[in-house]
């Protein structure tokens, strides 16, 4: 590998490339993850006990999760809600991506893309905070609904999972729209016209032509959205209530309130496994490879 | 035909509603800044005021957090840009059986939740006696922002005609001169774009920073803590200022990017 | 200065595939030399070996007296003009031309003076500050030439540089390249699949096929005295009539061709009776013969299938009545101009214009299935004018 680099760039640049890449992948990407796994497999000990007889590999930290009904239910709720967020985001994004890629004129598409990007240049915290204001008990949404006579009493949007779901769809939609848009855009418009011409209705055209073509985009979008949702901390912290806690919040508590890093590492690793599992599932389901994802 | 029409109008209505959904919350947050109310809201409207800007201005911790955010972002730039460029060069140069593995490793930070990157960074550096703070924040953020830089540089690198490098060598240039005079100028726009994106990613990062900031709070972490404790419309004022700045950067960046894209179509 | 290029038993292998069979060749100093062959014949590989982009698996390249073994691309006294020109898109015309001098540390004024001289040479004076993207195809071509000449190479390597130009410009640039070569006295090594280009410009041409040089000769010799069946069919058009040798002496061979009887043609090398061989006769050497003529002259009975009018001549596509094989005939003004599709006619040739060559098993002869036709006729169809070359 180094020979090819050297042939192209000369020895100094090749060494710089190899060195920089090596430091990043080893010191920043791989070793910290391995260290985290190692941590998760050791009991939480007092400093004096480290290296002592109690120090050794154990699964105790993983067992904790399965013995704690609350944590376990939060884990599965996080999984389930993240799947829900992913599906909702896909539903909301698909028509938009299709419009941008195939229906809109180039000018319209450019404007829409710019409009889409702007909110996502803005801090995730601020975007979530704006929903916090909108959904507040005495906030504008309740006021409007009351004024319109649609409800008689204000609704506590922020008291369950509703706010979290809405906020997450809002926060991560761009990660779905862009892969979808890229995938649909590469579809030859004539294929759609041909399908129409052959008498296929709109829905059938989407189901048989557009969606199969957009599969890599759908897969990428779903993987990214799921990962962001499952790993979200800000949205549940801001829009959720104590009753709708997220698994990331439990992890945070182990680190900074419980002070048990080993336990936290185990939980964090489980979250990582969850994301990897989802990714593997989606990649198998949609028959796409890693190369399709990074586009 | 009418079904098709119905479909098209439905789609347009949907797009309209979508953009309302996208911008309404931000607009409300912005407007709430000017409401003379202890709590950030627009209902009820208690009269217009600018006092929350004044309060924000006087907030020393906010300024400290801002300074720290800029410091972190600068540090991230210094790490992520070279790393991203190096990995893009590596991936477009090397053909080997190990390449898919390296590629997977390079992409993995993008597919890992931010909190986990923060956690693993925190745990790893504890071994060396380094605890949460600016240094770890820079490292944690750079771990995944580098991968974003790689993707952006890679996109341009794939359009590079390698005959140009051969031509440079053939004309007597050393590999270094060919790299410096031919490849690097070609990559410059992508590197600059990637730097802007990397800066913003760092500035806005919450999930990773949350675990590694220690006492060196960044602005984003500070805002989040303000929202959860001691919420006043001063947060809105800060949000509004940040929104205006980001929109300005975004628009300038987009316009510049488009102008650069245009001549290539010719 | 001696700017000859010597290939000394050069072999190039990529894994199991041998791209260049053992090849030795001397290209003379100051010569315009072309490698001609279909794509995949190894000519680009040879060029890359000479320029230093590839290191040969065996053998050596010498420029003048100096071995190029271990000499990197950027230290060789060669300069290449690439197929896509490879002008640096972000640099101006001046910067492009001066690049080679700049990386050698030549000072600004000298560089600029040299660049201006070269721009004058390629008739682009005053365009130095233009961005490359503002140039037309022909102008880019000239900048590429100027850029390569700026480093004062002893050998200029040209990798099909004219293929992107349209026909008229291509013909014009041929003359120009030839003129520049004469003016500078640099050795030009040109590779192309277009025989018209090779024949029109070169002092000598090497015809290549499947990693092997088939023949090295000046254009006239190549055309009139091809050494191998491949050269006979690849350079210019040729009709091929396969059969078996009956006898061969005094430079004339008699061939028994099934269905056509005995046909006579020149032979350059010894052929033994019974050996499989073929007679090659060019379309322009076939002329109508009448039944009254002496019976000794070979006569070919054909049925005309198509007649294409090409201005100064007509190309007749005909089928041999006896075998059904295709025969192409070039008919000038007057003679045979009355022939119509469907008619039968009789054609003859002067035996000294036809060549008999042994079936040497070269790739040309293996591919009777149509691949051979394809390779042999393609350049002609692209540029019909070359037949006159």
């Amino acid at each position: 590998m180094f020979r090819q680099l050297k042939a192209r760039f000369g020895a100094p640049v090749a060494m710089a490339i190899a060195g920089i890449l090596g430091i990043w992948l080893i010191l920043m990407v791989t070793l910290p993850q391995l260290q985290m796994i190692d941590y998760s497999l050791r009991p939480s000990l007092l400093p004096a006990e480290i290296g002592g007889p109690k120090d050794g590999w154990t699964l105790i930290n993983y067992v904790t999760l399965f013995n704690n009904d609350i944590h376990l239910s939060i884990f599965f709720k996080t999984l389930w809600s993240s799947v829900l967020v992913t599906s909702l985001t896909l539903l909301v994004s698909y028509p938009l991506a299709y419009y941008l890629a195939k229906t809109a004129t180039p000018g319209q598409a450019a404007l829409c893309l710019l409009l889409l990007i702007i909110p996502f240049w803005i801090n995730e915290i601020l975007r979530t905070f704006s929903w916090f204001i909108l959904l507040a008990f005495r906030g504008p949404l309740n006021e409007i609904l009351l004024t319109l006579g649609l409800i008689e009493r204000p609704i506590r949007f922020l008291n369950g999972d509703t706010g979290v779901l809405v906020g997450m769809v809002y926060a991560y939609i761009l990660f779905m729209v862009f892969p979808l848009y890229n995938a649909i855009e590469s579809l030859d418009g004539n294929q759609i016209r041909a399908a129409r011409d052959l008498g296929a209705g709109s829905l059938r055209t989407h189901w048989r032509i557009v969606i199969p073509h957009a599969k890599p985009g759908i897969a990428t979008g779903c993987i990214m959205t799921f990962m962001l949702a499952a790993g979200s901390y800000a949205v549940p912290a801001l829009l959720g209530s104590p009753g709708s806690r997220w698994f990331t919040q439990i992890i945070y508590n182990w680190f900074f309130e419980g002070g048990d890093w080993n336990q936290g590492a185990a939980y964090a690793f489980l979250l990582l496994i969850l994301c990897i599992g989802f990714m593997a599932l989606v990649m198998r389901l949609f028959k796409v490879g890693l190369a399709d994802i990074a586009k | 035909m009418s079904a098709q029409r119905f479909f098209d109008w439905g789609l347009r209505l949907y797009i309209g509603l979508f953009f309302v959904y996208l911008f309404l919350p931000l607009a409300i947050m912005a407007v709430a800044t000017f409401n003379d109310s202890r709590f950030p809201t627009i209902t009820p409207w208690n009269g217009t005021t600018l006092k929350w800007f004044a309060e924000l201005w006087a907030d020393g911790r906010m300024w400290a957090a801002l300074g720290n955010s800029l410091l972190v972002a600068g540090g991230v730039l210094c790490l992520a840009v070279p790393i991203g460029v190096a990995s893009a060069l590596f991936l477009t140069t090397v053909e080997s059986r190990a390449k898919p593995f390296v590629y997977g490793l390079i992409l993995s930070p993008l597919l890992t939740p931010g909190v986990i990157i923060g956690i693993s960074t925190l745990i790893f550096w504890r071994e060396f006696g380094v605890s949460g703070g600016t240094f770890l924040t820079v490292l944690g953020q750079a771990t995944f922002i580098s991968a974003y830089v790689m993707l952006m540089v890679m996109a341009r690198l794939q359009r590079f005609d390698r005959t140009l490098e051969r031509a440079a060598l053939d004309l007597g240039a050393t590999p270094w001169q060919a790299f410096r005079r031919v490849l690097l100028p070609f990559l410059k726009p992508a590197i600059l774009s990637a730097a802007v994106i990397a800066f913003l990613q760092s500035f806005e990062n919450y999930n990773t920073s949350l675990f590694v900031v220690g006492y060196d709070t960044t602005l984003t972490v500070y805002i989040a803590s303000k929202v959860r404790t001691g919420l006043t419309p001063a947060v809105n004022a800060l949000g509004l200022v940040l929104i205006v700045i980001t929109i300005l950067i975004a628009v300038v960046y987009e316009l510049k990017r488009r102008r650069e894209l245009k001549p290539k179509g010719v | 200065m001696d700017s000859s290029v010597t290939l000394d038993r050069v072999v190039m292998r990529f894994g199991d595939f041998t791209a260049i069979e053992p090849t030795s060749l001397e290209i003379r100093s100051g010569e315009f030399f072309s490698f001609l062959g279909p794509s995949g014949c190894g000519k680009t590989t040879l060029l890359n070996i000479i320029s230093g982009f590839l290191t040969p698996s065996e053998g050596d390249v010498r420029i003048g007296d100096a071995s190029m073994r271990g000499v990197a691309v950027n230290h060789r006294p060669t300069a290449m003009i690439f197929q896509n020109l490879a002008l640096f898109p972000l640099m101006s015309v001046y910067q492009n031309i001066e690049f080679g001098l700049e990386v050698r540390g030549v000072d600004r004024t000298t560089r600029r003076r040299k660049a201006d001289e070269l721009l004058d040479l390629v008739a682009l004076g005053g365009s130095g500050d233009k961005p490359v993207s503002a140039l037309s195809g022909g102008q880019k071509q000239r900048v590429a030439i100027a850029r390569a000449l700026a480093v004062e190479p002893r050998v200029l390597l040209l990798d099909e540089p004219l293929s992107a130009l349209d026909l008229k410009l291509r013909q014009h640039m041929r003359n120009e390249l030839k003129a520049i070569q004469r003016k500078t006295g640099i050795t030009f090594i040109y590779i192309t699949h277009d025989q018209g280009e090779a024949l029109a410009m070169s002092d000598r041409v090497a015809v290549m096929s499947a990693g092997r040089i088939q023949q090295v000769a000046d254009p006239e010799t190549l055309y009139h005295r091809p050494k191998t069946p491949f050269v006979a069919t690849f350079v210019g058009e040729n009709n091929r009539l396969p059969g078996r040798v009956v006898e061969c002496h005094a430079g004339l061979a008699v061939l028994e061709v099934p269905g056509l009887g005995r046909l006579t043609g020149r032979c350059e090398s010894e052929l033994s009776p019974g050996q499989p061989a073929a007679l090659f006769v060019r379309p322009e050497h076939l002329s109508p013969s009448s039944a009254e003529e002496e019976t000794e002259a070979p006569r070919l009975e054909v049925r005309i299938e198509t007649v294409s009018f090409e201005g100064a001549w007509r190309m007749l596509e005909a089928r041999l009545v006896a075998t059904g094989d295709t025969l192409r005939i070039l008919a000038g003004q007057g003679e045979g101009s009355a022939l119509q599709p469907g008619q039968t006619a009789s054609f003859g040739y002067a035996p000294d214009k036809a060549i008999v060559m042994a079936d040497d098993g070269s790739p040309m002869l293996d591919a009777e299935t149509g691949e051979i036709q394809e390779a042999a006729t393609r350049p002609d169809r692209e540029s019909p004018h070359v037949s006159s070359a």
Side-chain angles (χ1 to χ4, degrees):
Chain A
M1 291 195 277
F2 184 73
R3 225 187 30 202
Q4 291 166 318
L5 284 173
K6 197 181 143 201
R8 181 173 181 185
F9 302 111
V13 178
M15 274 193 287
I17 290 173
I20 292 172
L21 194 64
I23 288 174
W24 177 43
L25 291 183
I26 295 169
L27 223 55
M28 292 164 77
V29 177
T30 314
L31 285 183
Q33 298 292 339
L34 293 178
Q35 182 74 18
M36 182 182 86
I37 296 170
D38 179 70
Y39 243 67
S40 75
L41 292 170
R42 289 177 189 279
S44 178
L45 301 170
L46 297 170
E49 292 172 320
I50 290 177
K54 286 189 194 168
D55 199 355
W57 281 354
T58 166
L59 285 174
I60 184 79
N61 296 318
Y62 293 91
V63 175
T64 312
L65 175 72
F66 294 95
N67 287 337
N68 188 325
D69 286 346
I70 297 176
H71 288 178
L72 201 58
S73 75
I74 291 175
F75 181 76
F76 284 115
K77 198 212 61 188
T78 301
L79 164 63
W80 163 241
S81 303
S82 300
V83 170
L84 202 61
V85 167
T86 307
S87 324
L88 277 175
T89 313
L90 179 59
L91 275 180
V92 174
S93 305
Y94 182 81
L96 181 73
Y98 180 77
Y99 168 80
L100 287 175
K102 287 286 164 253
T103 309
T105 64
Q108 285 171 331
L111 178 69
C112 284
L113 285 174
L114 185 60
L115 284 179
L116 258 176
I117 291 168
I118 286 176
F120 290 89
W121 282 69
I122 294 162
N123 215 310
E124 184 187 330
I125 301 292
L126 288 176
R127 278 184 282 142
T128 310
F129 173 53
S130 70
W131 277 94
F132 176 80
I133 298 174
L134 184 66
L135 297 179
F137 188 62
R138 298 193 180 284
L141 189 59
N142 269 325
E143 284 295 326
I144 292 169
L145 293 177
L146 283 171
T147 316
L148 291 175
L150 290 172
I151 51 171
E152 287 174 10
R153 234 171 295 161
I155 303 171
R156 288 201 181 273
F157 292 111
L158 300 177
N159 214 4
D161 293 328
T162 327
V164 178
L165 289 186
V166 173
M168 281 200 184
V169 172
Y170 185 78
Y172 306 131
I173 202 157
L174 198 72
F175 291 91
M176 186 67 92
V177 171
F178 269 107
L180 275 184
Y181 165 75
N182 285 334
I184 299 178
E185 214 217 354
S186 68
L187 174 66
D188 182 4
N190 286 331
Q191 282 194 33
I192 302 173
R193 257 165 261 138
R196 291 262 162 81
D197 213 43
L198 294 171
S202 291
L203 285 178
R204 189 184 288 267
T205 308
H206 280 274
W207 188 246
R208 297 291 302 278
I209 309 285
V210 186
I211 292 179
H213 182 85
K215 254 171 33 180
I218 297 174
T220 309
C222 287
I223 291 170
M224 287 304 285
T225 310
F226 181 87
M227 183 274 283
L228 289 165
S232 177
Y233 185 88
V235 180
L238 263 56
L239 299 181
S241 63
S244 60
R245 275 193 297 171
W246 217 249
F247 198 60
T248 46
Q249 292 170 289
I250 310 285
I251 298 175
Y252 183 85
N253 288 348
W254 278 125
F255 274 90
F256 298 108
E257 278 159 34
D260 187 342
W261 285 25
N262 302 85
Q263 191 63 63
Y267 276 36
F269 186 56
L270 283 171
L271 178 65
L272 184 61
I273 296 280
L274 183 67
C275 292
I276 293 172
F278 184 84
M279 182 169 90
L281 184 73
V282 168
M283 277 166 63
R284 170 157 290 202
L285 232 66
F286 287 82
K287 298 190 181 70
V288 296
L290 207 55
D292 299 309
I293 286 174
K295 272 184 187 161
Chain B
M1 169 212 156
S2 64
Q4 185 57 42
R5 247 200 133 151
F6 177 75
F7 198 81
D8 284 351
W9 278 105
L11 192 60
R12 251 170 242 175
L13 181 70
Y14 177 82
I15 303 302
L17 282 175
F18 178 83
F19 281 106
V20 170
Y21 166 73
L22 209 57
F23 284 100
L24 188 67
L26 295 173
I28 288 173
M29 175 173 71
V31 172
T33 315
F34 303 98
N35 191 5
D36 193 357
S37 149
R38 254 198 63 245
F39 190 76
T41 182
I42 57 169
T43 51
W45 193 257
N46 295 340
T48 310
T49 177
L50 289 176
K51 72 176 179 189
W52 299 115
F53 286 102
E55 192 185 301
L56 179 67
W57 185 261
D59 184 351
R61 288 180 56 207
M62 187 281 291
W63 287 109
L66 173 66
N68 199 42
S69 274
L70 292 176
L71 187 66
V72 168
V76 167
L77 271 193
C78 293
L79 285 182
V81 171
I83 293 175
V85 173
S87 26
L89 290 174
F90 177 88
L91 289 175
T92 48
T93 304
V94 169
E95 289 307 329
S96 134
R97 237 180 287 157
K99 192 174 153 186
F101 173 74
V102 179
Y103 186 55
L105 212 55
I106 287 175
L107 283 184
S108 68
L110 289 182
L111 302 167
T112 308
V115 289
I116 290 175
I117 292 174
I119 289 168
S120 55
T121 306
L122 184 69
I123 289 177
F124 179 68
W125 287 95
R126 187 197 215 183
E127 294 298 300
F128 304 95
V130 183
S131 51
T134 305
F135 177 67
L136 284 197
T137 314
V138 170
L139 282 185
Q141 290 187 358
T143 302
F144 74 95
I145 291 176
S146 301
Y148 278 104
V149 175
M150 181 278 290
L151 286 182
M152 296 180 70
V153 175
M154 183 96 151
R156 187 160 172 87
L157 205 47
Q158 275 162 346
R159 290 208 310 269
F160 179 68
D161 173 13
R162 283 191 63 179
T163 323
L164 295 178
E165 273 176 356
R166 294 169 46 130
L169 291 181
D170 189 63
L171 290 167
T174 60
W176 161 250
Q177 282 169 323
F179 175 71
R180 168 78 195 68
R181 294 292 316 276
V182 178
L183 184 58
L184 223 46
F186 175 84
L187 289 184
K188 204 173 110 190
I191 294 176
L192 288 180
S193 299
V196 174
I197 298 288
F199 186 90
L200 272 158
Q201 288 251 5
S202 162
F203 196 78
E204 298 178 354
N205 181 267
Y206 180 68
N207 284 356
T208 300
S209 311
L210 181 66
F211 284 85
V212 284
V213 284
Y215 294 107
D216 303 329
T217 301
T218 62
L219 193 61
T220 304
V221 175
Y222 178 68
I223 293 172
S225 73
K226 282 285 271 188
V227 172
R228 290 200 288 164
T229 60
L231 180 60
T232 70
V235 176
N236 296 54
L238 179 55
L240 184 58
V241 172
L242 287 180
I243 287 174
V244 170
I245 294 173
T246 15
I247 288 181
L248 279 180
I249 298 177
V251 170
V252 170
Y253 168 85
E254 266 300 303
L255 290 179
K256 201 168 166 294
R257 196 174 66 95
R258 281 194 193 161
R259 203 170 321 129
E260 265 156 19
L261 281 180
K262 250 176 208 155
K264 246 153 264 138
V266 178
Chain C
M1 191 170 8
D2 180 11
S3 305
S4 64
V5 176
T6 311
L7 303 181
D8 187 6
R9 277 159 298 164
V10 166
V11 179
M12 188 73 216
R13 279 185 289 268
F14 298 106
D16 294 338
F17 172 66
T18 305
I20 303 290
E21 303 281 353
T23 295
S24 294
L25 176 70
E26 195 190 328
I27 297 165
R28 295 172 199 136
S29 187
E31 187 174 32
F32 197 126
F33 191 93
S34 293
F35 287 99
L36 171 66
S39 56
C41 71
K43 55 192 193 301
T44 306
T45 308
L46 266 187
L47 202 71
N48 282 331
I49 288 173
I50 298 171
S51 63
F53 286 117
L54 287 175
T55 308
S57 315
E58 286 171 30
D60 188 17
V61 175
R62 282 194 300 277
I63 295 177
D65 290 330
S67 167
M68 289 295 119
R69 187 172 287 141
V71 180
V73 182
N74 48 344
H75 295 300
R76 295 200 178 189
T78 59
M80 171 110 86
I81 299 195
F82 292 83
Q83 188 162 17
N84 69 354
L85 304 183
L87 294 179
F88 303 124
L90 300 175
M91 299 184 193
S92 69
V93 170
Y94 271 139
Q95 286 171 316
N96 263 283
I97 296 176
E98 291 173 21
F99 183 86
L101 301 172
E102 195 192 327
V103 297
R104 282 173 171 75
V106 175
D107 70 275
R108 236 185 118 73
T109 17
T110 318
R111 262 162 32 202
R112 188 49 57 92
R113 188 162 6 94
K114 182 88 193 170
D116 279 324
E117 269 171 36
L118 286 164
L119 280 174
D120 286 338
L121 177 74
V122 297
L124 269 182
S127 306
D129 288 316
K130 282 188 190 163
V132 171
S133 56
L135 303 178
S136 71
Q139 289 171 323
K140 283 183 183 159
Q141 202 85 45
R142 290 154 200 265
V143 173
I145 295 168
R147 184 178 72 174
L149 292 176
V151 299
E152 295 180 358
R154 285 154 64 192
V155 180
L156 193 68
L157 307 167
L158 302 100
D159 182 2
E160 309 208 27
L162 303 186
S163 55
L165 301 182
D166 62 50
L167 189 64
K168 259 223 139 82
L169 197 51
R170 200 153 66 206
Q171 277 172 307
H172 178 75
M173 285 308 292
R174 279 184 196 172
N175 299 336
E176 205 141 316
L177 275 178
K178 186 76 195 156
I180 289 171
Q181 196 258 340
R182 227 173 283 133
K183 247 186 267 179
T184 55
I186 297 172
T187 308
F188 272 39
I189 300 178
Y190 193 95
I191 73 167
T192 181
H193 66 265
D194 181 337
Q195 49 162 309
E197 271 176 18
L199 299 184
M201 289 189 286
S202 318
D203 297 320
R204 286 194 304 154
V205 179
V207 180
M208 284 191 77
S209 163
R212 204 186 288 272
I213 291 185
Q214 299 273 331
Q215 186 173 2
V216 183
D218 62 276
E220 296 264 345
T221 309
L222 270 189
Y223 190 80
H224 294 299
R225 302 176 65 188
K227 272 233 176 72
T228 67
F230 177 83
V231 177
T233 46
F234 190 75
V235 179
E237 273 195 64
N238 236 326
N239 293 298
R240 175 174 168 273
L241 302 165
R244 274 180 194 283
V245 178
V246 176
E247 56 171 345
C248 169
H249 74 271
L252 279 181
V254 179
L255 204 63
E256 176 72 37
V257 179
L260 298 174
R262 297 189 165 191
L263 299 178
T264 310
R266 274 187 297 129
C267 66
E268 303 267 321
S269 55
E270 272 312 303
L271 295 168
S272 43
Q275 192 182 356
L279 180 122
F280 293 88
V281 56
R282 293 201 182 272
E284 68 267 30
H285 292 144
L286 288 166
S287 52
S289 65
S290 48
E292 299 94 64
E293 279 175 52
E294 53 195 301
T295 44
E296 279 302 303
R299 276 233 308 274
L300 304 167
E301 302 287 333
V302 299
R303 178 184 298 278
I304 309 294
E305 297 224 309
T306 57
V307 177
S308 10
F309 175 66
E310 313 228 1
W313 67 84
R314 278 158 215 270
M315 184 56 90
L316 310 181
E317 190 107 15
R319 243 173 229 292
L320 286 162
V321 175
T323 63
D325 286 337
T326 304
L327 202 66
R328 282 165 72 81
I329 301 151
L330 191 76
Q333 302 286 6
E335 52 175 39
S337 63
L339 288 170
Q340 297 298 324
Q343 274 182 294
T344 48
S346 173
F347 285 87
Y349 63 88
D352 66 323
K353 296 287 189 194
I355 303 176
V356 176
M357 273 182 278
D359 256 336
D360 63 352
S362 77
M364 229 35 215
L365 289 181
D366 296 343
E368 293 224 32
T369 43
E371 219 179 5
I372 168 178
Q373 284 310 97
E374 175 68 23
T377 53
R378 183 164 23 95
D380 289 36
R381 262 187 229 137
E382 271 174 22
S383 41
H385 54 273
V386 299
S387 306
S388 56

